[in-house]
Amino acid sequence: MQSRLVTADDDCGPAGRDAGREREEKTVIVTLIVLCEIGFWVLLAAGLALRYGARRPRLGAAVLLCEPVLEVVLLVVTAIDLKNGAAPDWKHGLAAVYIGFTVGLGRSTITWVDARVAHRFAGGPAPVKPPRYGRDRALHEWRVAARWILAAGVAAALLQAAAWYVGGDGDVSSLRAWQYRTGFVAAINLVIATSYTLFPKRAPAGGAARTRADA
């Protein structure tokens, strides 16, 4: 009976409490990332509804400008978690990648959705499709690549700052792994843009003839 009580006490000792606290901290970060992702789309939908549904464009724009607040909250909570001695792992890397994605691609995502909602519900012009051929398509691919490279660069910088913050005593292997992934994404987009520059896609002969006739 005594040995059973000792075992139970050991399980509830400092080590058990530390493990439970660590699990709670991980849950908080993961939950915050999910809430930020949901909040991004909720604010986007609310802003567009105010702009086109309620005919309140200024209020809708103000709601859309609240998007960066989510990233600030996520970054602050992540930094506090590391400051409190949490071991850096995938959740901290994911937070940095999420912030990088929002910085690099958040505006273009909002613009893309806004154009389609305006066309569908407010009588706006049809969304402009990206060019398909030649130099214009290459420039389009470079613009897309620039957004992804910016996203990867911001994420990599935040990951590096976290690694420096932890110092040489902590394990930063998971942060390095996320850096490699962001670098790979940037490299893929760079290769795609370069391929359209070196080997431009040409318009069909019939399409070119119609273009000249229209001119």
Side-chain angles (χ1 to χ4, degrees), residues 64 67 93 186:
L64 293 176
E67 297 280 3

Side-chain angles (χ1 to χ4, degrees), residues 16-189:
R17 288 193 296 270
D18 291 342
R21 189 180 302 111
E22 183 178 356
R23 286 193 298 270
E24 291 178 358
E25 291 172 350
K26 289 183 178 181
T27 302
V28 168
I29 295 295
V30 174
T31 302
L32 184 61
I33 292 172
V34 174
L35 290 177
C36 284
E37 178 64 22
I38 295 174
F40 176 89
W41 294 104
V42 169
L43 288 177
L44 179 57
L48 295 175
L50 290 170
R51 281 171 64 89
Y52 301 111
R55 307 295 181 182
R56 303 288 298 277
R58 292 185 178 180
L59 182 58
V63 171
L64 293 176
L65 289 176
C66 293
E67 297 280 3
V69 176
L70 299 176
E71 283 68 63
V72 173
V73 172
L74 182 59
L75 182 60
V76 169
V77 172
T78 301
I80 292 175
D81 192 38
L82 290 171
K83 179 70 173 178
N84 291 336
D89 58 14
W90 67 270
K91 68 180 185 295
H92 299 106
L94 184 60
V97 171
Y98 175 82
I99 295 172
F101 174 85
T102 304
V103 172
L105 299 165
R107 181 177 180 181
S108 61
T109 301
I110 292 174
T111 302
W112 187 90
V113 175
D114 181 75
R116 281 148 182 81
V117 172
H119 174 63
R120 178 65 177 83
F121 298 103
V128 178
K129 295 182 179 180
R132 299 178 61 186
Y133 307 109
R135 179 173 177 270
D136 291 338
R137 179 56 185 266
L139 291 175
H140 169 75
E141 293 298 335
W142 277 109
R143 285 191 290 268
V144 173
R147 297 187 190 107
W148 279 103
I149 291 171
L150 174 60
V154 170
L158 292 174
L159 291 166
Q160 185 61 47
W164 285 337
Y165 185 78
V166 174
D169 297 333
D171 182 10
V172 296
S173 58
S174 61
L175 301 180
R176 297 300 183 201
W178 277 110
Q179 283 183 317
Y180 296 145
R181 295 186 185 102
T182 57
F184 180 75
V185 170
I188 289 295
N189 282 272

